[in-house]
């Protein structure tokens, strides 16, 4: 396996194995971000890379659907009526004396 390596079903991502913080880790670069995950016991670098990108994809999809739900809620909710409020009333200005 070459370092860096790529996986054919994960277009746009490149991976490399690195030794950081006393452990072997898989580092992923793609779409303007860099992700890192430790290599688990008995796991191949390809499996770790797949697990890393799958977790990031799930996280991004979750954030996107939450954002869409928030957009739909904002357009449906109407502001409550303001009872007793008058927008046409101008506030009275009271002169303040400043002593020197």
């Amino acid at each position: 396996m070459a370092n860096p390596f790529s996986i054919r079903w994960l277009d746009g991502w490149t991976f490399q194995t690195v030794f950081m913080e006393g452990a072997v880790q898989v580092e992923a670069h793609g779409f303007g971000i860099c992700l890192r995950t430790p290599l688990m016991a008995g796991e191949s670098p390809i499996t770790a890379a797949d697990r890393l990108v799958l977790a990031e994809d799930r996280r991004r999809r979750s954030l996107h659907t939450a954002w869409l739900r928030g957009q739909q809620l904002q357009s449906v909710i109407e502001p409550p009526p303001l009872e007793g409020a008058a927008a046409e009333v101008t506030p009275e200005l009271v002169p303040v004396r400043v002593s020197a």
Side-chain angles (χ1 to χ4, degrees):
M1 175 184 291
N3 198 21
F5 63 96
S6 60
I7 302 174
R8 67 176 169 82
W9 61 86
L10 295 174
D11 290 335
W13 292 94
T14 58
F15 306 95
Q16 62 183 356
T17 54
V18 294
F19 187 75
M20 290 183 73
E21 301 170 358
V24 177
Q25 297 188 2
V26 174
E27 190 174 72
H29 294 272
F31 303 105
I33 60 172
C34 176
L35 305 170
R36 204 174 295 123
T37 187
L39 196 62
M40 303 294 178
E43 187 177 43
S44 72
I46 292 175
T47 307
D50 193 37
R51 175 177 50 85
L52 177 63
V53 172
L54 178 63
E56 178 65 16
D57 187 48
R58 283 183 179 161
R59 187 184 75 81
R60 286 179 180 249
R61 285 178 195 248
S62 173
L63 289 172
H64 179 70
T65 55
W67 177 77
L68 287 177
R69 271 185 269 135
Q71 293 295 317
Q72 291 170 353
L73 290 176
Q74 289 175 2
S75 63
V76 172
I77 296 174
E78 295 180 14
L82 299 176
E83 296 175 6
E88 297 176 2
V89 176
T90 57
E92 294 182 21
L93 299 176
V94 178
V96 177
R97 290 187 182 179
V98 179
S99 58

